[in-house]
Amino acid sequence: MFLEHVFNTNLPFFKFLKNTTKLLALTLVILFFKPDISQAQAPPPVTYPKVAGYVGIIHPLVTFSKEGTTTNFDAYYVVGMPTGINIWKSAKIGFSAEFVPFVRAENGTSRMSNFLLHPGVLVALGHGFTFAGRASFETSGRYGFTPVLNYAVKKNTNSNYFVAVPLPVRFGNDHPTSLTLGFQFGLAF
């Protein structure tokens, strides 16, 4: 072999390397062909009510109102950090309480610009999709409702990653009615 011609493969290091390579190859073969016992056991049944929490990041993308269309990332940047608790009554219906502080960065400064209390109902739609219908109460004086379509992108044993599309509709505080399109992603556990 090439290595035997270039190096003295009878040295202890090369013997160790050959044995380690063989052991690693054998271990990989065993792991690859071993039976998956986790599939053989049925998962424990889910009991209800079931409580879950989540954290995420939300980006309002564009807002439409009679005052005009405004976009995030243009003259300013707004980001929210939703944290919530979901209480599932059954596999199909649940309650959610979400709390969202918003931070606004503009002209070289940033500040907490708004805090949103966001309670609502959850409806499991199947195939990883959930609808959330939320009431909205903001410290800015605005109120309204937010329909949200949520999708579990990756499900793990004790957590999942999700993306969501919220459509906040807001009224009040001497401003015209507005509709915002947002994008949210996060981790549920």
Side-chain angles (χ1 to χ4, degrees):
M1 305 261 179
F2 175 76
L3 286 178
E4 291 174 352
H5 293 293
V6 176
F7 301 106
N8 182 0
T9 56
N10 290 323
L11 294 173
F13 170 76
F14 286 105
K15 288 182 181 179
F16 170 77
L17 189 60
K18 284 181 187 178
N19 291 336
T20 303
T21 305
K22 289 177 186 176
L23 183 60
L24 180 61
L26 179 62
T27 303
L28 290 174
V29 167
I30 290 171
L31 289 175
F32 184 74
F33 290 107
K34 78 173 180 84
D36 189 3
I37 34 182
S38 65
Q39 295 293 335
Q41 300 174 1
V46 177
T47 57
Y48 293 96
K50 177 184 168 191
V51 178
Y54 64 93
V55 295
I57 300 290
I58 182 167
H59 295 285
L61 300 175
V62 61
T63 300
F64 306 97
S65 74
K66 287 183 181 178
E67 293 176 338
T69 301
T70 58
T71 57
N72 201 3
F73 308 103
D74 192 14
Y76 60 87
Y77 171 63
V78 174
V79 62
M81 292 112 210
T83 302
I85 297 174
N86 296 335
I87 304 171
W88 288 93
K89 180 175 174 28
S90 69
K92 294 286 184 188
I93 192 95
F95 170 79
S96 179
E98 183 175 78
F99 311 93
V100 189
F102 284 92
V103 174
R104 182 179 178 118
E106 185 175 21
N107 298 325
T109 64
S110 62
R111 64 182 173 87
M112 185 176 143
S113 62
N114 197 15
F115 187 81
L116 170 64
L117 175 60
H118 223 197
V121 64
L122 301 171
V123 179
L125 302 175
H127 304 290
F129 288 95
T130 302
F131 171 78
R134 298 184 179 281
S136 305
F137 307 96
E138 300 182 0
T139 57
S140 68
R142 305 279 282 166
Y143 61 93
F145 61 93
T146 307
V148 181
L149 184 61
N150 184 312
Y151 178 67
V153 176
K154 180 173 172 101
K155 292 184 178 185
N156 300 312
T157 305
N158 295 314
S159 65
N160 67 47
Y161 297 97
F162 68 89
V163 294
V165 177
L167 295 169
V169 177
R170 298 294 185 265
F171 314 99
N173 199 18
D174 296 325
H175 290 288
T177 300
S178 65
L179 169 71
T180 301
L181 171 66
F183 176 75
Q184 179 177 344
F185 58 93
L187 171 67
F189 47 89

